[in-house]
Amino acid sequence: MSANHDGRVVVVTGAGRGLGRAHALAFAAEGARVVVNDLGVGLDGTPGSDGSPAAHVVDEIREAGGEAVAHAGDVATTEGAASLVARALETYGRLDTLVNNAGFLRDRMLVNLGEDDWDAVVRVHLTGHFLPLRHAAAHWRAEARAGRTPVARIVNTSSGAGLLGSVGQGNYSAAKAGIVGLTLVAAAELARYGVQVNAVAPAARTRMTERTFAATMAAPGQGFDAMAPENVSPLVVWLGSAASEGVTGRVFEAEAGRITVMEGWRPGPTADRGARWTPAQAGEAALELLARSEPPGAVYGAADTP
């Protein structure tokens, strides 16, 4: 089950800081040659003061004896996504794994959420997953059709906010839920070309969550920072490796030392009248079915959230 990446080329988007940086370093430690993408924007997507976070991570990898190259394009544009895949192919001659991770936040309650803030967050998270996936998949399809079926992997980044919802994050929650849907479709469509597609819903301390997750130690004696982003990377590295053969179309939560397979929408209690319902009948049936169903998880930040 080794996640050795010797000879493999891995692209990680949003890899200048936080989870992406941790993933890039972890892949490099396993022998991967890494394309480190980061646009260098601030927490809300506006131009940042650090214009080259990707280059800093590349320096870290090279100083540790690894191979890496930076890419500073906007992966939520066709040009940026295409040039990202091209950077891997032109530099290293191949592409094996794509980790989609880029994103930022513009939190607002729904009644205060402007269209620009909605569009910006959906664009970076959802379009910023779709376009790199699309261009990488086109390359792998061409390889498969040429008789060189790849052992290719895509790891997408969703969130608990996308699985359960999060108060004050309607735009982010919607985008992260969309990433789960995209993952399921991509896994089904791309399997014939040797591509596996999975998603992780991480909980870790990054720029986006540092006010939520302070430096927190795990249980006594475990001796590690439970909310460090490095705790999520081992699962991502394994999913991005040849060792994950046969695992596709799945969503995992990863936090501290815990990994959970998430089980999504599937049929629960059902009633079939065999004819059209009246509104009153439909309501009675719905209430009866709800009484027999599992209650949904609490929305993050809701009043009844523990």
Side-chain angles (χ1 to χ4, degrees):
M1 300 294 286
S2 171
N4 185 283
H5 280 265
D6 287 348
R8 290 178 68 84
V9 174
V10 177
V11 167
V12 184
T13 70
R17 307 177 182 88
L19 282 164
R21 171 182 172 274
H23 299 341
L25 294 173
F27 275 108
E30 294 294 331
R33 293 167 287 176
V34 185
V35 179
V36 180
N37 163 267
D38 203 287
L39 189 56
V41 298
L43 178 59
D44 63 353
T46 56
S49 58
D50 183 356
S52 56
H56 297 327
V57 176
V58 167
D59 289 343
E60 288 186 78
I61 291 172
R62 291 176 176 172
E63 287 169 6
E67 294 184 59
V69 64
H71 178 270
D74 182 353
V75 296
T77 67
T78 295
E79 295 78 12
S83 68
L84 176 65
V85 172
R87 179 65 53 86
L89 298 177
E90 291 167 1
T91 305
Y92 298 120
R94 60 185 296 147
L95 172 61
D96 300 285
T97 298
L98 167 65
V99 179
N100 283 314
N101 174 75
F104 55 72
L105 296 178
R106 293 190 185 177
D107 293 352
R108 300 283 190 279
M109 302 298 279
L110 286 173
V111 294
N112 296 320
L113 182 60
E115 185 176 350
D116 289 345
D117 291 333
W118 172 275
D119 289 343
V121 169
V122 171
R123 173 185 178 275
V124 69
H125 287 279
L126 189 51
T127 306
H129 270 61
F130 160 64
L131 288 174
L133 184 157
R134 175 190 175 194
H135 287 279
H139 164 69
W140 288 322
R141 181 182 64 176
E143 288 291 287
R145 288 178 171 177
R148 299 183 296 270
T149 301
V151 180
R153 305 287 186 261
I154 298 174
V155 184
N156 291 329
T157 305
S158 184
S159 168
L163 304 176
L164 295 173
S166 180
V167 171
Q169 294 189 309
N171 48 5
Y172 178 75
S173 296
K176 289 302 191 184
I179 287 167
V180 172
L182 177 64
T183 298
L184 301 179
V185 172
E189 290 187 359
L190 302 180
R192 72 190 72 179
Y193 306 124
V195 185
Q196 293 182 181
V197 189
N198 295 284
V200 294
R205 186 179 56 258
T206 68
R207 287 195 306 168
M208 295 197 298
T209 62
E210 60 187 357
R211 288 180 292 182
T212 303
F213 301 128
T216 305
M217 299 304 290
Q222 290 185 315
F224 72 101
D225 179 354
M227 289 294 103
E230 289 78 9
N231 299 332
V232 177
S233 298
L235 175 61
V236 174
V237 170
W238 182 79
L239 288 171
S241 74
S244 65
E245 179 65 30
V247 180
T248 194
R250 306 308 293 264
V251 179
F252 298 83
E253 272 196 343
E255 174 185 351
R258 177 177 61 83
I259 296 172
T260 303
V261 175
M262 303 304 290
E263 297 181 337
W265 295 107
R266 60 185 68 223
T270 302
D272 185 352
R273 185 169 179 267
R276 183 178 301 155
W277 304 86
T278 68
Q281 291 169 335
E284 290 174 4
L287 290 173
E288 190 274 330
L289 294 174
L290 288 169
R292 293 193 282 123
S293 68
E294 291 291 327
V299 174
Y300 289 109
D304 56 351
T305 301

